[in-house]
Amino acid sequence: MSSKNHNIRKPELISGWGLYPRFSARKEKPTSINELKSLLLTETLIARGNGRSYGDSAINKVKTIDMRNFNRFLYFDKKTGLLIVESGILLKDIIEILLPKGWFPPVTPGTKYVTIGGMVAADVHGKNHYKYGTFGKYIEWIEIINHQGKIIKCSRDENTELFFWTIGGMGLTGIILNVAFFLKPVTTAWIKQRKLIANNIEQTFKLFESNKDFTYLVAWIDCYSKGKSLGRSVLLLGEHAKKNELEYSYKKAPFKTHKKKKIKIPIFFPKFVLSNLSVKIFNSLNFLFSKITKKNKIVDWDTFFYPLDKILNWNKIYGSRGFAQFQCVFPLSKSKEAIIELLCLISKSKSSSFLAVLKRFGNHENYFSFPREGYSLALDFPINNENLSLMNSLDKITIKYGGRFYLAKDSRMKKEIFEKSDLRIKKFRAFRENELDKHFKSCQSDRLKI
Amino acid sequence: MTRKTVLVLGAKSDIGIALAHRFAKEGYDVQLAARNSNRLKEDCFDINIRYGINATFYEFDALDLNSHENFILSLKKTPDIAIYAIGALGNQKEDEKNIKQSIEIIRTNFEGLVSIFGIFANYFKKRGSGTLIGISSVAGDRGRGSNYIYGSAKAGVSTFLSGLRNSLNPFGIHVITVKPGFVKTKMTSHLKLPKKLTTNPKIVANSIYYAYKSRKNIVYIKPIWKYIMQFIKVIPESFFKKMKL
Ligand SMILES: Cc1cc2nc3c(=O)[nH]c(=O)nc-3n(C[C@H](O)[C@H](O)[C@H](O)COP(=O)(O)OP(=O)(O)OC[C@H]3O[C@@H](n4cnc5c(N)ncnc54)[C@H](O)[C@@H]3O)c2cc1C
Ligand SMILES: NC(=O)c1ccc[n+]([C@@H]2O[C@H](COP(=O)([O-])OP(=O)(O)OC[C@H]3O[C@@H](n4cnc5c(N)ncnc54)[C@H](OP(=O)(O)O)[C@@H]3O)[C@@H](O)[C@H]2O)c1
């Protein structure tokens, strides 16, 4: 009859967003709970969302379980904003459906092409961490399926340890099935944006501290400026616009924005496009361009939160070898010193870094999540030998200043470095010992021995 | 203005659920029907939240002919459009050995549709309005050695729908025959399908929606299939029987 051939799937090459490293792995994409349960038996496995983590955290060579068929809305309370969804739904779908009704995610990463499962597992932060904390803060409960196929509900009141380790646990505590969390009410789909220019690192930090009460705050640093202008940056500040702040024509339909055409890059960019010189020119132009564009304006949500999503597969511009992202956070008291040292090293090296993003985190911390109070710096590097060794040096500087690394971005760190940077690993290992660590594994957790 | 209602029989099928979303997106209320319909509860929430329309679900077994009349009575509202997205492909080689299985393929694809569409036709005639959409297949355009049990069931579907269209035309009731060609769904997940000839459930649903709006009679989702089948149909039987197809 409906012959369900459960022949073993052929391995395929998979990677994270950085296209590095690539592994030959078996991927399954179940469509029902029963099918998912049948996949849980015996071997080790890891759940995968939309593959927007940069490295190898959503890859298991034996069994990678793509959760994107679990993508339904299950419940929405128009009064409180409580939303229940299956974990494989994309953030993009949630925004497109519920923003017109006046609701927005309380915390969002820099791309809307992530699943809710991925947002929980990485406990993502946004440009509003200082005021809002991480995504985990808005979660009411999570339903997880364990390796025996049992569905366990966990929250701040029941199965609390499982709840808190799952938030930021990188898929290593089981497969997240359903998530209940709160959206926040907004009255328009627009953001009041303000741009500030900082001519050096001192000014950058000063402007951050004096504007940290803005809901959204982020800076783009020009990595090539040296000497007096080291750390010059463009700061972007944002607040949700209120209806009466919109122009007349938009007031009537405050949630209506225009869909933009997405650009798709057809091939891997040839090497010279990102040669060091062209990146330098790009960075400087970007900086100059920011200087002359309007300082205050109202932009739509997509432009403000997800500028990179305009180019669907921008990860290909770095060439076929792929790229890596380096993201760390420092304790507040050490942040400036540490970031100056990182930037000095980067500006001296021959490396080209395309993006350097600086964020200020507040004092919300979870069991195993990345953020802590202080400053976080994120940089992209095309993969080549020079950059790989540069990143090793950046690792050491980070350790020296007591910083730690973001696992959702990591694709190359050594176990020893990770252990030195994050002492919480001991507790997490103890929580996983003899049970979870036998079943839920990723290439990353193997590499870092989590 | 009250919203129109579409009933999808076989709402757990990949094409069926895609159809439910497509019509709901245009503001139709949807009724989802399937056997073991539990899973549809969540689909109803999902569709309701996404499109703000009413979605309800019902138990329906195509093979349980005695239940069909009551099934229609149990619907909250007699739908404006009924779509039959139920089907079973079977496995030709195995089904040849086990004739009971062959019969079940025929019944699921053909008999079930004859029964439920037959009853709906009578309701619609009385009301003087309605649309019936049946998903047949290009496999029904000519019997081939590799796939003739499913193929003959679909041939039955196509011929039945053609006659039904003819007979219901005076009553203002419209009948659409859909011939999708290859579609990537659960039904075909174990097969290697040629990319150029294969489409996906979303595209099928979209084409069916537009076929409904423009009152088309017979729809090939990918036009190339129309030409392929026209060619296959004109091969003389004396040749055809010797071909491996
Ligand atoms: C352009 C860009 C910008 C970004 N900006 C930010 C940012 O500002 N802030 C931030 O915090 N992050 C940011 N990220 C990182 C991204 O938010 C995280 O990597 C997120 O986890 C990706 O979600 P995903 O669905 O793609 O998950 P994947 O990459 O597929 O998986 C990531 C992790 O989640 C686990 N996981 C996924 N689904 C499940 C599930 N159902 N059950 C259990 N575990 C699961 C996987 O095992 C893996 O460990 C950015 C990424 C990109 C590409
Ligand atoms: N995929 C293709 O290439 C293709 C090509 C041409 C035509 N079609 C036709 O398109 C339609 C939809 O199929 P699909 O491709 O979307 O495949 P599918 O996902 O396998 O759908 C088939 C559905 O039929 C249901 N079904 C089988 N027997 C039933 C019964 N006795 N009562 C109620 N439901 C029953 C199945 O329900 P359960 O889940 O309960 O088994 C299943 O949901 C079918 O008519 C098929 O013949 C498909």
Side-chain angles (χ1 to χ4, degrees):
Chain A
M1 275 290 306
S2 55
S3 51
K4 256 256 131 27
N5 286 25
H6 249 302
N7 36 9
I8 298 178
R9 226 167 264 279
K10 277 211 195 95
E12 51 186 296
L13 267 189
I14 50 179
S15 70
W17 184 242
L19 306 172
Y20 170 91
R22 273 168 248 200
F23 292 97
S24 164
R26 287 209 170 79
K27 197 159 96 180
E28 300 279 352
K29 196 170 177 181
T31 52
S32 67
I33 295 276
N34 285 342
E35 204 183 324
L36 174 61
K37 280 183 182 168
S38 73
L39 293 171
L40 297 175
L41 306 168
T42 63
E43 305 129 299
T44 72
L45 54 107
I46 196 76
R48 183 178 175 91
N50 206 32
R52 253 36 177 206
S53 53
Y54 279 66
D56 47 1
S57 46
I59 304 170
N60 177 307
K61 288 184 216 163
V62 188
K63 213 174 257 179
T64 300
I65 302 189
D66 185 332
M67 291 296 288
R68 287 176 297 180
N69 278 332
F70 294 82
N71 60 358
R72 294 176 299 182
F73 288 89
L74 299 180
Y75 174 81
F76 182 61
D77 184 341
K78 283 181 239 152
K79 287 198 194 85
T80 61
L82 182 70
L83 176 67
I84 305 176
V85 290
E86 293 181 330
S87 65
I89 195 170
L90 290 181
L91 184 60
K92 166 181 175 286
D93 287 357
I94 295 178
I95 297 173
E96 283 179 359
I97 300 293
L98 293 174
L99 179 57
K101 301 197 168 104
W103 299 93
F104 198 74
V107 168
T108 170
T111 169
K112 59 187 178 293
Y113 294 101
V114 292
T115 65
I116 292 299
M119 286 173 69
V120 176
D123 193 13
V124 296
H125 60 268
K127 301 178 177 79
N128 58 353
H129 187 274
Y130 182 76
K131 281 181 93 170
Y132 278 76
T134 57
F135 185 66
K137 198 170 158 189
Y138 303 90
I139 300 176
E140 186 77 354
W141 52 258
I142 304 171
E143 270 172 349
I144 294 169
I145 187 158
N146 73 5
H147 57 93
Q148 293 156 330
K150 214 175 117 192
I151 296 174
I152 305 169
K153 189 171 181 174
C154 60
S155 68
R156 288 179 181 76
D157 305 315
E158 58 181 320
N159 300 310
T160 45
E161 285 295 295
L162 182 61
F163 180 74
F164 285 115
W165 284 118
T166 297
I167 295 173
M170 300 306 286
L172 299 170
T173 61
I175 297 185
I176 300 164
L177 270 187
N178 300 322
V179 184
F181 66 98
F182 286 98
L183 295 172
K184 73 170 182 185
V186 292
T187 50
T188 74
W190 300 84
I191 302 290
K192 270 189 303 177
Q193 173 184 291
R194 175 183 286 182
K195 220 176 253 176
L196 302 174
I197 305 283
N199 290 317
N200 54 46
I201 195 75
E202 286 297 333
Q203 265 187 24
T204 297
F205 274 91
K206 228 184 235 147
L207 285 176
F208 250 105
E209 288 303 315
S210 55
N211 287 293
K212 64 185 189 299
D213 282 323
F214 267 81
T215 303
Y216 301 104
L217 176 55
V218 65
W220 301 70
I221 294 187
D222 174 2
C223 292
Y224 288 99
S225 47
K226 293 184 190 175
K228 276 198 305 232
S229 54
L230 182 92
R232 66 174 177 169
S233 69
V234 179
L235 280 83
L236 277 187
L237 290 57
E239 289 295 345
H240 288 279
K242 295 193 190 75
K243 218 160 139 181
N244 59 16
E245 291 166 330
L246 299 183
E247 274 175 42
Y248 181 73
S249 56
Y250 292 109
K251 255 184 216 161
K252 283 180 286 182
F255 291 108
K256 203 170 159 162
T257 58
H258 298 288
K259 265 219 157 139
K260 279 156 223 100
K261 242 195 128 60
K262 300 271 179 298
I263 307 161
K264 203 165 178 182
I265 296 172
I267 36 148
F268 282 113
F269 267 28
K271 262 204 180 118
F272 67 85
V273 176
L274 267 151
S275 69
N276 294 340
L277 185 67
S278 61
V279 170
K280 270 181 208 183
I281 294 169
F282 174 86
N283 261 344
S284 312
L285 278 181
N286 199 15
F287 187 74
L288 285 175
F289 192 63
S290 290
K291 267 195 163 164
I292 54 175
T293 53
K294 257 215 229 148
K295 290 219 163 73
N296 294 318
K297 59 178 177 180
I298 292 192
V299 297
D300 67 85
W301 61 277
D302 212 5
T303 307
F304 183 80
F305 291 104
Y306 312 111
L308 291 170
D309 286 349
K310 277 198 195 117
I311 307 169
L312 275 179
N313 50 348
W314 63 262
N315 54 343
K316 288 200 173 162
I317 63 174
Y318 288 102
S320 57
R321 277 192 77 183
F323 66 109
Q325 183 159 96
F326 177 90
Q327 185 172 5
C328 61
V329 59
F330 296 103
L332 191 55
S333 60
K334 302 268 178 59
S335 288
K336 192 162 50 173
E337 206 184 335
I339 284 166
I340 289 172
E341 195 167 331
L342 290 180
L343 289 176
C344 273
L345 186 65
I346 294 162
S347 68
K348 267 190 233 138
S349 74
K350 282 205 222 101
S351 291
S352 42
S353 183
F354 205 50
L355 297 174
V357 179
L358 187 67
K359 286 181 195 145
R360 167 79 155 92
F361 290 164
N363 62 359
H364 318 267
E365 272 200 64
N366 284 330
Y367 277 28
F368 200 55
S369 311
F370 166 62
R372 60 170 298 163
E373 172 139 46
Y375 280 83
S376 160
L377 190 71
L379 306 130
D380 284 353
F381 295 101
I383 294 292
N384 57 44
N385 294 342
E386 282 165 22
N387 282 346
L388 284 168
S389 74
L390 173 67
M391 282 185 277
N392 287 337
S393 312
L394 301 180
D395 285 348
K396 288 190 188 118
I397 299 175
T398 306
I399 299 277
K400 188 169 96 186
Y401 289 98
R404 70 177 175 230
F405 306 94
Y406 192 10
L407 291 180
K409 305 288 177 75
D410 158 62
S411 57
R412 39 145 297 273
M413 197 192 339
K414 301 223 161 41
K415 171 178 153 265
E416 295 70 29
I417 293 285
F418 175 60
E419 281 171 341
K420 271 190 212 154
S421 72
D422 203 331
L423 302 177
R424 302 173 302 175
I425 178 65
K426 285 190 188 136
K427 277 195 187 156
F428 194 30
R429 279 181 187 146
F431 179 74
R432 275 168 46 76
E433 202 171 358
N434 287 331
E435 186 138 7
L436 292 171
D437 58 356
K438 290 210 176 68
H439 302 283
F440 297 101
K441 289 183 185 199
S442 60
C443 291
Q444 181 177 55
S445 77
D446 281 343
R447 177 164 51 83
L448 301 175
K449 298 279 173 305
I450 301 179
Chain B
M1 208 187 78
T2 55
R3 284 197 290 256
K4 284 196 170 180
T5 300
V6 58
L7 164 70
V8 180
L9 298 151
K12 281 197 309 186
S13 76
D14 291 336
I15 294 174
I17 195 69
L19 278 162
H21 279 262
R22 190 62 186 84
F23 278 87
K25 194 173 168 192
E26 302 294 336
Y28 291 74
D29 285 338
V30 296
Q31 299 172 332
L32 309 181
R35 58 179 177 184
N36 306 321
S37 54
N38 292 346
R39 188 198 134 93
L40 294 178
K41 194 168 143 195
E42 279 107 46
D43 285 306
C44 285
F45 285 131
D46 182 45
I47 289 174
N48 171 263
I49 293 172
R50 282 178 194 264
Y51 314 107
I53 51 83
N54 288 322
T56 45
F57 69 102
Y58 305 88
E59 184 71 20
F60 179 75
D61 185 345
L63 296 173
D64 184 7
L65 302 181
N66 289 330
S67 69
H68 290 186
E69 183 82 50
N70 275 336
F71 163 77
I72 294 185
L73 293 173
S74 77
L75 296 174
K76 263 200 178 150
K77 187 192 153 207
T78 309
D80 300 279
I81 308 158
I83 308 178
Y84 194 86
I86 289 168
L89 183 57
N91 179 322
Q92 177 72 31
K93 285 265 133 32
E94 280 172 29
D95 299 345
E96 281 170 22
K97 288 181 217 138
N98 186 340
I99 301 305
K100 275 203 181 128
Q101 287 190 55
S102 300
I103 302 297
E104 200 168 303
I105 300 301
I106 304 290
R107 292 192 59 209
T108 307
N109 289 295
F110 185 35
E111 192 184 74
L113 177 136
V114 170
S115 163
I116 194 76
F117 273 15
I119 305 173
F120 267 123
N122 294 335
Y123 275 91
F124 287 2
K125 250 197 299 199
K126 240 186 255 161
R127 189 176 67 187
S129 71
T131 302
L132 294 165
I133 305 177
I135 306 188
S136 187
S137 169
V138 295
D141 286 3
R142 190 160 192 180
R144 290 173 297 121
S146 62
N147 193 17
Y148 63 87
I149 298 169
Y150 176 76
S152 62
K154 291 299 191 187
V157 169
S158 296
T159 306
F160 178 82
L161 293 175
S162 154
L164 193 65
R165 174 160 43 244
N166 186 213
S167 111
L168 293 178
N169 190 52
F171 301 91
I173 293 155
H174 189 56
V175 177
I176 303 175
T177 311
V178 185
K179 299 184 179 181
F182 296 135
V183 191
K184 239 184 120 176
T185 67
K186 274 180 284 199
M187 184 175 277
T188 53
S189 63
H190 59 293
L191 303 173
K192 256 208 131 143
L193 302 175
K195 246 198 173 152
K196 285 238 157 68
L197 297 177
T198 307
T199 179
N200 66 49
K202 258 195 173 161
I203 292 176
V204 174
N206 198 40
S207 303
I208 293 178
Y209 175 74
Y210 284 112
Y212 163 73
K213 289 308 269 186
S214 54
R215 293 178 74 82
K216 285 230 173 75
N217 299 307
I218 298 175
V219 198
Y220 287 86
I221 307 296
K222 272 191 169 258
I224 184 165
W225 275 107
K226 190 166 159 187
Y227 303 112
I228 293 176
M229 294 325 290
Q230 266 169 1
F231 173 74
I232 289 183
K233 277 196 279 193
V234 297
I235 302 172
E237 191 70 12
S238 49
F239 271 117
F240 193 76
K241 72 176 183 189
K242 291 178 203 146
M243 295 169 77
K244 270 199 128 167
L245 280 163

